[in-house]
Amino acid sequence: MSEPAAPKARKAFPRGELRIVSPSGAVPQPQRVQRAAQHLGELGFRVRIDSAALLREQRFAGSDARRVQALHRAARSRASVVMATRGGYGLTRVLDALDYALLHEAVSRRGQVWVGHSDFTALQLAMLARAGTVSYSGPMASFDFGAERVDEITQESFLDVVDARLEAVGFECPDAPRSLDASGVLWGGNLSLVCNLVGTPYLPRARGVLFLEDVSEHPYRVERMLTQLLGAGVLQRQRAVLLGAFTDYRLSEHDAGYDLPDVVAWLRSRLREYKVPVLSGLPFGHVRTKLCLPHGARCRLLRDGTDAYLVFGHSHGGHHLAPGAHAHGTGHDSHDPH
């Protein structure tokens, strides 16, 4: 099989400072962060790797205090983009120590773009719940930009955000209801982290489009977490539920055919009485090809043919689409466990 083509070059005009931080797990392969810095530099960023980004204390990227300091340092910096190195585990330990007013000011007044996925979901949910702060669910330094070959769609979707071109994203979704038209806040991320924050002040009481993904979770555990969100009343109050990638699990003989499609069918049956559509196929998760999504922004979810579109306000401005999707508007290996 031939190697994937390198991403097409977009004009590398100056894009400001991009700061790389490690708010969760220790980085097992520092060379991937260096490779990411080089690649992002070629895209026009002045890359600054935070002084604590490559620390290790047990499984964490430094002590809790050092990781909190790194996030606050990033918020006070001149960076236009703050990107996580990787996920892992660690952010839920420090949510009560963060200065949400400082983080919100960095985003709302100075336009910082905070981006990541996996364990980064905990920070995004807390920022949204505590201050209404919009962040971006998208690529990370080690997993995405530290790869030998950076996925073209992942890169272009991220640059659409940075270049203020994001107006809509679209993807193939043949199971979308023909009358699909749902509006509200786009929020969610990693299913395990969403569930983990139920009953805490860090879970938004959003009513909108909830998107979910996970990695290394058996379908019955995915279903069990969804039952928790049902029991907590989270799913019933959504306008729609979007399912991304659920990857890297292994079935056993005991499953007797039970798999993720059965979980999706079960979820649809439970949400039917609440008229909450469940759509699959969102290009997002612990996969190479992922869209960069404005977490906490208002959106409208529509169907056009066999495609579904998330349409955002003009403040996010362009879009980039996953394979099989069509333009709408003005523009177009190993996993990192959460």
Side-chain angles (χ1 to χ4, degrees), residues 208 210 212 226-227 229-231 233-243 263-279:
L210 173 65
L212 299 168
L226 292 170
T227 62
L229 294 183
L230 277 168
V234 173
L235 297 182
Q236 298 94 317
R237 67 172 177 261
Q238 301 310 309
R239 304 298 189 189
V241 175
L242 275 177
L243 301 179
V263 176
V264 175
W266 167 84
L267 181 61
R268 285 181 174 138
S269 71
R270 294 298 303 268
L271 290 179
R272 191 170 294 124
E273 65 177 292
Y274 301 99
K275 295 181 172 53
V276 179
V278 178
L279 285 66

Short mmCIF file of all heavy atoms in Angstrom, two decimals, residues 208 210 212 226-227 229-231 233-243 263-279:
data_model
loop_
_atom_site.label_atom_id
_atom_site.label_comp_id
_atom_site.label_asym_id
_atom_site.label_seq_id
_atom_site.Cartn_x
_atom_site.Cartn_y
_atom_site.Cartn_z
N GLY A 208 -28.28 21.47 23.25
CA GLY A 208 -27.89 21.72 21.87
C GLY A 208 -27.50 20.46 21.16
O GLY A 208 -28.24 19.46 21.18
N LEU A 210 -24.86 17.56 21.09
CA LEU A 210 -23.84 16.88 21.88
C LEU A 210 -23.08 15.91 20.99
O LEU A 210 -23.68 15.05 20.36
CB LEU A 210 -24.50 16.11 23.03
CG LEU A 210 -23.59 15.20 23.88
CD1 LEU A 210 -22.55 16.01 24.63
CD2 LEU A 210 -24.45 14.37 24.84
N LEU A 212 -19.91 13.02 20.73
CA LEU A 212 -19.23 12.08 21.62
C LEU A 212 -18.30 11.16 20.83
O LEU A 212 -18.58 10.81 19.69
CB LEU A 212 -20.26 11.22 22.36
CG LEU A 212 -21.25 11.97 23.26
CD1 LEU A 212 -22.37 11.03 23.69
CD2 LEU A 212 -20.55 12.55 24.47
N LEU A 226 -23.54 5.75 28.38
CA LEU A 226 -24.71 6.43 27.81
C LEU A 226 -25.92 6.30 28.73
O LEU A 226 -26.72 7.23 28.85
CB LEU A 226 -25.02 5.87 26.43
CG LEU A 226 -23.99 6.19 25.34
CD1 LEU A 226 -24.27 5.38 24.08
CD2 LEU A 226 -23.97 7.68 25.02
N THR A 227 -26.05 5.16 29.41
CA THR A 227 -27.15 5.00 30.36
C THR A 227 -26.98 5.98 31.52
O THR A 227 -27.98 6.47 32.07
CB THR A 227 -27.26 3.56 30.91
OG1 THR A 227 -26.07 3.22 31.62
CG2 THR A 227 -27.49 2.56 29.80
N LEU A 229 -25.67 8.98 31.27
CA LEU A 229 -26.10 10.29 30.76
C LEU A 229 -27.62 10.34 30.61
O LEU A 229 -28.23 11.40 30.79
CB LEU A 229 -25.42 10.58 29.42
CG LEU A 229 -23.91 10.77 29.47
CD1 LEU A 229 -23.37 11.12 28.09
CD2 LEU A 229 -23.50 11.82 30.50
N LEU A 230 -28.23 9.20 30.31
CA LEU A 230 -29.70 9.14 30.27
C LEU A 230 -30.27 9.32 31.67
O LEU A 230 -31.20 10.10 31.89
CB LEU A 230 -30.16 7.80 29.70
CG LEU A 230 -30.22 7.67 28.18
CD1 LEU A 230 -30.40 6.21 27.79
CD2 LEU A 230 -31.35 8.51 27.60
N GLY A 231 -29.70 8.59 32.62
CA GLY A 231 -30.18 8.67 34.00
C GLY A 231 -30.02 10.05 34.59
O GLY A 231 -30.82 10.48 35.44
N GLY A 233 -30.31 12.73 32.84
CA GLY A 233 -31.14 13.65 32.07
C GLY A 233 -30.39 14.48 31.05
O GLY A 233 -30.95 15.42 30.48
N VAL A 234 -29.14 14.13 30.77
CA VAL A 234 -28.32 14.92 29.85
C VAL A 234 -28.75 14.72 28.41
O VAL A 234 -28.90 15.68 27.64
CB VAL A 234 -26.83 14.58 30.02
CG1 VAL A 234 -25.98 15.28 28.96
CG2 VAL A 234 -26.36 14.96 31.42
N LEU A 235 -28.93 13.47 28.00
CA LEU A 235 -29.23 13.18 26.60
C LEU A 235 -30.61 13.66 26.18
O LEU A 235 -30.81 14.13 25.06
CB LEU A 235 -29.09 11.68 26.34
CG LEU A 235 -27.70 11.08 26.55
CD1 LEU A 235 -27.71 9.60 26.19
CD2 LEU A 235 -26.65 11.82 25.74
N GLN A 236 -31.58 13.54 27.08
CA GLN A 236 -32.95 13.88 26.73
C GLN A 236 -33.13 15.35 26.40
O GLN A 236 -34.06 15.72 25.67
CB GLN A 236 -33.90 13.50 27.87
CG GLN A 236 -33.93 12.02 28.21
CD GLN A 236 -32.96 11.68 29.32
OE1 GLN A 236 -31.83 12.15 29.33
NE2 GLN A 236 -33.40 10.84 30.25
N ARG A 237 -32.29 16.22 26.96
CA ARG A 237 -32.50 17.65 26.73
C ARG A 237 -31.71 18.18 25.53
O ARG A 237 -31.74 19.38 25.26
CB ARG A 237 -32.15 18.46 27.99
CG ARG A 237 -30.70 18.45 28.39
CD ARG A 237 -30.49 19.46 29.53
NE ARG A 237 -29.12 19.45 30.02
CZ ARG A 237 -28.71 18.82 31.11
NH1 ARG A 237 -29.59 18.14 31.84
NH2 ARG A 237 -27.45 18.86 31.49
N GLN A 238 -31.04 17.29 24.79
CA GLN A 238 -30.29 17.72 23.62
C GLN A 238 -31.20 17.85 22.40
O GLN A 238 -32.26 17.23 22.32
CB GLN A 238 -29.14 16.76 23.32
CG GLN A 238 -28.16 16.60 24.46
CD GLN A 238 -27.67 17.93 25.02
OE1 GLN A 238 -27.24 18.82 24.28
NE2 GLN A 238 -27.77 18.08 26.34
N ARG A 239 -30.77 18.65 21.44
CA ARG A 239 -31.47 18.76 20.17
C ARG A 239 -31.06 17.65 19.21
O ARG A 239 -31.81 17.27 18.32
CB ARG A 239 -31.17 20.12 19.52
CG ARG A 239 -31.50 21.32 20.39
CD ARG A 239 -32.97 21.40 20.72
NE ARG A 239 -33.30 22.67 21.37
CZ ARG A 239 -34.47 22.94 21.93
NH1 ARG A 239 -35.43 22.03 21.91
NH2 ARG A 239 -34.69 24.10 22.51
N ALA A 240 -29.82 17.16 19.39
CA ALA A 240 -29.31 16.06 18.59
C ALA A 240 -28.06 15.51 19.26
O ALA A 240 -27.40 16.21 20.04
CB ALA A 240 -28.98 16.50 17.16
N VAL A 241 -27.74 14.25 18.97
CA VAL A 241 -26.52 13.61 19.46
C VAL A 241 -25.71 13.15 18.26
O VAL A 241 -26.24 12.43 17.39
CB VAL A 241 -26.83 12.42 20.39
CG1 VAL A 241 -25.54 11.70 20.78
CG2 VAL A 241 -27.58 12.87 21.63
N LEU A 242 -24.47 13.57 18.19
CA LEU A 242 -23.56 13.21 17.10
C LEU A 242 -22.51 12.25 17.62
O LEU A 242 -21.84 12.54 18.61
CB LEU A 242 -22.86 14.46 16.55
CG LEU A 242 -23.56 15.29 15.49
CD1 LEU A 242 -22.71 16.50 15.14
CD2 LEU A 242 -23.82 14.47 14.25
N LEU A 243 -22.36 11.12 16.96
CA LEU A 243 -21.37 10.13 17.37
C LEU A 243 -20.17 10.16 16.44
O LEU A 243 -20.29 10.05 15.23
CB LEU A 243 -22.00 8.73 17.37
CG LEU A 243 -23.22 8.56 18.29
CD1 LEU A 243 -23.77 7.15 18.17
CD2 LEU A 243 -22.86 8.88 19.74
N VAL A 263 -25.38 -0.78 20.05
CA VAL A 263 -25.44 0.31 21.02
C VAL A 263 -26.15 1.52 20.41
O VAL A 263 -27.00 2.14 21.05
CB VAL A 263 -24.01 0.70 21.48
CG1 VAL A 263 -24.07 1.90 22.41
CG2 VAL A 263 -23.33 -0.47 22.15
N VAL A 264 -25.80 1.84 19.16
CA VAL A 264 -26.41 2.99 18.49
C VAL A 264 -27.92 2.76 18.33
O VAL A 264 -28.73 3.66 18.56
CB VAL A 264 -25.74 3.25 17.13
CG1 VAL A 264 -26.45 4.38 16.38
CG2 VAL A 264 -24.26 3.59 17.32
N ALA A 265 -28.29 1.55 17.93
CA ALA A 265 -29.72 1.25 17.76
C ALA A 265 -30.46 1.36 19.09
O ALA A 265 -31.58 1.89 19.15
CB ALA A 265 -29.88 -0.16 17.18
N TRP A 266 -29.83 0.88 20.16
CA TRP A 266 -30.43 0.97 21.49
C TRP A 266 -30.61 2.44 21.90
O TRP A 266 -31.66 2.83 22.41
CB TRP A 266 -29.55 0.24 22.49
CG TRP A 266 -29.91 0.52 23.92
CD1 TRP A 266 -30.88 -0.08 24.67
CD2 TRP A 266 -29.31 1.53 24.75
NE1 TRP A 266 -30.92 0.48 25.93
CE2 TRP A 266 -29.97 1.46 26.01
CE3 TRP A 266 -28.30 2.45 24.56
CZ2 TRP A 266 -29.63 2.31 27.05
CZ3 TRP A 266 -27.96 3.29 25.61
CH2 TRP A 266 -28.62 3.21 26.84
N LEU A 267 -29.57 3.26 21.65
CA LEU A 267 -29.65 4.67 22.02
C LEU A 267 -30.76 5.37 21.26
O LEU A 267 -31.52 6.17 21.83
CB LEU A 267 -28.30 5.35 21.75
CG LEU A 267 -28.21 6.83 22.11
CD1 LEU A 267 -28.44 7.05 23.60
CD2 LEU A 267 -26.86 7.40 21.67
N ARG A 268 -30.87 5.07 19.98
CA ARG A 268 -31.94 5.69 19.19
C ARG A 268 -33.31 5.30 19.73
O ARG A 268 -34.23 6.13 19.79
CB ARG A 268 -31.82 5.27 17.73
CG ARG A 268 -30.68 5.99 17.00
CD ARG A 268 -30.59 5.57 15.56
NE ARG A 268 -29.59 6.38 14.87
CZ ARG A 268 -28.72 5.92 14.00
NH1 ARG A 268 -28.71 4.63 13.68
NH2 ARG A 268 -27.84 6.73 13.43
N SER A 269 -33.46 4.05 20.14
CA SER A 269 -34.75 3.61 20.66
C SER A 269 -35.10 4.32 21.96
O SER A 269 -36.27 4.63 22.23
CB SER A 269 -34.74 2.09 20.88
OG SER A 269 -33.91 1.73 21.98
N ARG A 270 -34.09 4.64 22.76
CA ARG A 270 -34.33 5.32 24.04
C ARG A 270 -34.62 6.81 23.85
O ARG A 270 -35.34 7.41 24.65
CB ARG A 270 -33.12 5.14 24.97
CG ARG A 270 -32.87 3.72 25.42
CD ARG A 270 -34.04 3.17 26.23
NE ARG A 270 -34.35 3.98 27.38
CZ ARG A 270 -33.84 3.79 28.61
NH1 ARG A 270 -32.97 2.80 28.79
NH2 ARG A 270 -34.18 4.55 29.61
N LEU A 271 -34.05 7.41 22.81
CA LEU A 271 -34.22 8.84 22.61
C LEU A 271 -35.36 9.19 21.64
O LEU A 271 -35.69 10.36 21.48
CB LEU A 271 -32.92 9.47 22.10
CG LEU A 271 -31.78 9.53 23.12
CD1 LEU A 271 -30.54 10.14 22.50
CD2 LEU A 271 -32.19 10.32 24.36
N ARG A 272 -35.96 8.17 21.05
CA ARG A 272 -37.01 8.41 20.07
C ARG A 272 -38.18 9.16 20.69
O ARG A 272 -38.74 10.09 20.09
CB ARG A 272 -37.48 7.08 19.47
CG ARG A 272 -38.38 7.22 18.26
CD ARG A 272 -38.60 5.88 17.58
NE ARG A 272 -37.35 5.37 17.01
CZ ARG A 272 -36.81 4.19 17.30
NH1 ARG A 272 -37.42 3.37 18.15
NH2 ARG A 272 -35.68 3.81 16.74
N GLU A 273 -38.58 8.80 21.90
CA GLU A 273 -39.74 9.45 22.52
C GLU A 273 -39.47 10.92 22.85
O GLU A 273 -40.41 11.72 22.99
CB GLU A 273 -40.15 8.71 23.79
CG GLU A 273 -39.13 8.74 24.90
CD GLU A 273 -39.64 8.04 26.17
OE1 GLU A 273 -40.58 8.58 26.78
OE2 GLU A 273 -39.09 6.98 26.52
N TYR A 274 -38.18 11.28 22.93
CA TYR A 274 -37.82 12.68 23.20
C TYR A 274 -37.54 13.45 21.91
O TYR A 274 -37.18 14.62 21.96
CB TYR A 274 -36.59 12.74 24.12
CG TYR A 274 -36.80 12.03 25.42
CD1 TYR A 274 -36.34 10.73 25.63
CD2 TYR A 274 -37.49 12.65 26.46
CE1 TYR A 274 -36.53 10.07 26.83
CE2 TYR A 274 -37.70 12.00 27.67
CZ TYR A 274 -37.21 10.71 27.85
OH TYR A 274 -37.43 10.06 29.04
N LYS A 275 -37.69 12.75 20.78
CA LYS A 275 -37.45 13.35 19.46
C LYS A 275 -36.04 13.92 19.33
O LYS A 275 -35.82 15.00 18.76
CB LYS A 275 -38.50 14.42 19.16
CG LYS A 275 -39.91 13.87 19.04
CD LYS A 275 -40.91 14.96 18.72
CE LYS A 275 -42.30 14.38 18.40
NZ LYS A 275 -42.81 13.48 19.44
N VAL A 276 -35.06 13.16 19.89
CA VAL A 276 -33.65 13.54 19.79
C VAL A 276 -32.98 12.62 18.77
O VAL A 276 -32.80 11.43 19.04
CB VAL A 276 -32.93 13.43 21.14
CG1 VAL A 276 -31.44 13.80 21.00
CG2 VAL A 276 -33.60 14.30 22.19
N PRO A 277 -32.63 13.12 17.58
CA PRO A 277 -31.99 12.26 16.59
C PRO A 277 -30.56 11.91 17.00
O PRO A 277 -29.85 12.71 17.62
CB PRO A 277 -32.01 13.11 15.32
CG PRO A 277 -32.03 14.52 15.81
CD PRO A 277 -32.82 14.50 17.09
N VAL A 278 -30.14 10.70 16.65
CA VAL A 278 -28.78 10.22 16.92
C VAL A 278 -28.11 9.98 15.57
O VAL A 278 -28.57 9.13 14.79
CB VAL A 278 -28.78 8.94 17.76
CG1 VAL A 278 -27.35 8.43 17.97
CG2 VAL A 278 -29.47 9.18 19.10
N LEU A 279 -27.05 10.71 15.26
CA LEU A 279 -26.35 10.60 13.99
C LEU A 279 -24.96 10.02 14.21
O LEU A 279 -24.31 10.31 15.21
CB LEU A 279 -26.21 11.97 13.32
CG LEU A 279 -27.44 12.61 12.67
CD1 LEU A 279 -28.50 12.95 13.70
CD2 LEU A 279 -27.04 13.87 11.93
#
